[in-house]
Amino acid sequence: MTANINLPRILRIGAGCSRQLPEVLKELNLKHPLLVSDAFIVSLGWLNTLQSQLDDCGIQHSSFTGVVPDPTTDAVAAGLAVLKQKQGPNAHDCVVALGGGSTIDTAKAIACMAHREHPMRHYKVPQTIDDGLPIIAIPTTAGTGSEATRVAVITDTQSQEKMLCMGLGLMPIAALVDFELTMNMPWRLTADTGLDSLCHALEAYVSKKASPFTDTMALAAVSSINRHIRTACQQPDNRQAREAMMLAATQGGIVFSNSSVTLIHGMSRPIGALFHVPHGLSNAMLLPEITAWSIAGAPARYADCARAMALASPDDSDDLANQQLVSGLRQLCRDLDVPSPAQFGINAQQWQQSLPTMAQQALDSGSPANNPLVPSTDEIIALYQKVWGD
């Protein structure tokens, strides 16, 4: 099978590389960026720093700072309005995202919708988005890996569906991955985004679309995350842990963009959309039990992950390694205070009533089809009930 690999044209990784935006714009012959960010990044002064760098180089720019968590089509529309204020020779020719996954996904949506007329729901999976304005991503969280993916997740404000959108038009042309921007990440955000990265890498390795290119990187990412995530949470100024988590997040983005996520992400998106659970946290709620259910479909692959994460030794049987994988994931979620849906505060009646809708949305996303075991609607409902908690 031929592996189809897509990556940013320019990928710079390391301390301080976020300051190289003017140089990268010049290299790409881009002259009028729209900067996309959120209120938190503005409060840290980081957007102002970026604006000053562009001003010093004589690069004209505008800014949109109305990004919201779990980005919505309304927020995208507001960003498009800012983008279209400049016309003619001063029109924006690219979009620069400075922020976490929500900011990068919002920027991607603005860029791809710049010259489209239909609502964004017309372009969700199974449709593909293969063109749009160039995107430059500067991530400030070690989690989604969106800086290296051809994927964006946008909530349709009208239907509340968390839409999966895919295509080369959503792949950043450049990514500046600077771990120093993550040093201010709070404990909960560090945990949730790190667990999101872990899901990306684990799912990509067991996906039916896995390839030798993504396998090595996926195992490196799961190994690094399990080794460093607790330290990054407990010691936020630990540069070694922060750098490792940032690299693993980008690796996770690369591997899932090229091998796809599976059942965890498919079931996670409806939880986030309907109950406003942060994306990484909703993945983490599902991670141990969905892994346990899926192992029978690819026991050797899951055992590889257990060994890479140092949860099993090279001499352990696959069966023992997989038992240790599940117990290790459960312990990790306990260590990082991952709540069940019930403990998060979701209403039990609303959860039960939403199960058929969530199951259908999970299947419609296409992600469960990549899982080692492909579930039926009833099996997805049963899994949602299993993770409910008390």
Side-chain angles (χ1 to χ4, degrees), residues 119-130:
M120 194 159 191
R121 69 181 69 93
H122 286 244
Y123 307 106
K124 67 180 181 180
V125 168
Q127 303 300 316
T128 59
I129 299 172
D130 293 324

Side-chain angles (χ1 to χ4, degrees), residues 106-286:
T106 301
K108 289 181 175 185
I110 292 170
C112 77
M113 295 300 292
H115 303 301
R116 285 182 164 83
E117 297 180 358
H118 295 298
M120 194 159 191
R121 69 181 69 93
H122 286 244
Y123 307 106
K124 67 180 181 180
V125 168
Q127 303 300 316
T128 59
I129 299 172
D130 293 324
D131 59 4
L133 294 178
I135 304 154
I136 298 173
I138 307 175
T140 60
T141 61
T144 68
S146 189
E147 68 273 7
T149 76
R150 54 190 179 93
V151 178
V153 178
I154 306 292
T155 298
D156 188 327
T157 306
Q158 181 175 323
S159 68
Q160 289 303 300
E161 178 186 358
K162 215 165 187 179
M163 300 182 295
L164 177 63
C165 302
M166 297 187 67
L168 286 177
L170 299 170
M171 172 66 74
I173 193 172
L176 308 179
V177 184
D178 183 351
F179 77 88
E180 291 184 332
L181 298 180
T182 70
M183 303 297 286
N184 289 324
M185 284 173 60
W187 193 95
R188 184 73 261 164
L189 183 60
T190 300
D192 292 349
T193 54
L195 289 166
D196 189 23
S197 297
L198 179 60
C199 289
H200 290 156
L202 177 64
E203 290 178 85
Y205 190 75
V206 302
S207 169
K208 291 180 177 179
K209 296 181 179 179
S211 72
F213 175 87
T214 57
D215 282 351
T216 302
M217 202 176 299
L219 290 177
V222 297
S223 172
S224 185
I225 292 166
N226 197 48
R227 189 164 65 252
H228 293 287
I229 189 170
R230 293 173 178 87
T231 303
C233 289
Q234 296 162 3
Q235 303 173 26
D237 58 349
N238 187 306
R239 291 176 65 85
Q240 181 183 7
R242 289 295 193 185
E243 184 171 18
M245 291 299 295
M246 192 65 157
L247 176 59
T250 298
Q251 291 173 324
I254 290 171
V255 297
F256 99 75
S257 183
N258 289 288
S259 290
S260 297
V261 285
T262 57
L263 182 56
I264 294 171
H265 267 72
M267 290 179 61
S268 171
R269 294 186 198 99
I271 296 175
L274 293 174
F275 301 108
H276 307 291
V277 180
H279 175 66
L281 188 57
S282 61
N283 282 332
M285 290 175 175
L286 297 162

Side-chain angles (χ1 to χ4, degrees), residues 42-56:
V42 171
S43 73
L44 295 174
W46 292 352
L47 180 63
N48 183 65
T49 298
L50 203 61
Q51 292 168 328
S52 297
Q53 292 168 359
L54 296 177
D55 290 338
D56 290 345

Side-chain angles (χ1 to χ4, degrees), residues 2-67:
T2 300
N4 183 30
I5 308 301
N6 299 291
L7 298 166
R9 185 184 303 177
I10 295 173
L11 183 56
R12 299 190 180 183
I13 301 174
C17 69
S18 60
R19 297 190 289 273
Q20 298 174 13
L21 177 61
E23 175 186 328
V24 169
L25 288 168
K26 183 177 180 181
E27 187 174 343
L28 294 169
N29 196 31
L30 298 170
K31 304 179 185 302
H32 302 292
L34 172 69
L35 308 182
V36 176
S37 195
D38 61 33
F40 178 67
I41 298 300
V42 171
S43 73
L44 295 174
W46 292 352
L47 180 63
N48 183 65
T49 298
L50 203 61
Q51 292 168 328
S52 297
Q53 292 168 359
L54 296 177
D55 290 338
D56 290 345
C57 296
I59 298 173
Q60 299 180 25
H61 56 86
S62 299
S63 299
F64 170 68
T65 59
V67 171

